Amino acid sequence: MPRKVILVTDGDEYARKAVEHVAAEIGGRCISLSSGNPSLLGGPDIVGLIKKAEKDPVLVMFDDSGLIGEGPGEAALKYVASHPDIEVLGIVAVASNTHQAEWTRVDVCIDRYGELTPNGVDKFGVQELETGRIYGDTVYCLDSLNVPIIVGIGDIGKMARRDHYALGAPITKKAVEIILERSGYYDQQE
């Protein structure tokens, strides 16, 4: 039975604290060792940790630390996403302030006020004018992956403190809940 996993394209300290909090709130697990700026663990190591996690869903972080092109976070993300023992429920795609070359298609975004929008959002969770895409530094490969849903949000754990883990990381939590709902995860649990 494949492990049910949500991928998160951020891994700094703020993101780690927020993702750990959200994983506990939804009754899942977070692979804290997958955090880092950039990610230090490779795909095979991360898959091993996912398989050891006590229960699903498992939230896993990947971070390229602003490197252009496919950095270590994205290489690990692609490996995990294509592994036969992993079922990716969805991806939380995190915006950054890089408007260089890297962007990805998103199915929906959540702004810093917790509102769903078809528009992209920036690092601060502010809606942008473009529909259906966000810019980020660990999103280069997401379009090539076959996943049920990609939810775009601003910088995890930040967004003018509106997503701080001390407040329950509400934007990140909402993104994860949308993924669990739209991927059919809740239906499978009943």
Side-chain angles (χ1 to χ4, degrees), residues 90-91 93 104-109 117-119 131-133 147-152 178-179 182:
I91 299 175
T104 186
R105 168 195 62 74
V106 290
D107 296 296
V108 67
C109 285
T117 175
N119 294 343
T131 301
R133 74 160 64 177
V147 298
I149 182 169
I150 300 176
V151 180
I178 287 170
I179 288 169
R182 295 203 186 168

Side-chain angles (χ1 to χ4, degrees), residues 97-136:
N97 56 5
T98 172
H99 270 78
Q100 287 155 351
E102 298 189 32
W103 61 273
T104 186
R105 168 195 62 74
V106 290
D107 296 296
V108 67
C109 285
I110 305 170
D111 71 14
R112 70 203 270 176
Y113 305 107
E115 299 295 321
L116 296 182
T117 175
N119 294 343
V121 293
D122 68 10
K123 172 180 180 158
F124 305 103
V126 175
Q127 288 190 39
E128 296 197 307
L129 296 176
E130 283 189 86
T131 301
R133 74 160 64 177
I134 65 160
Y135 294 88

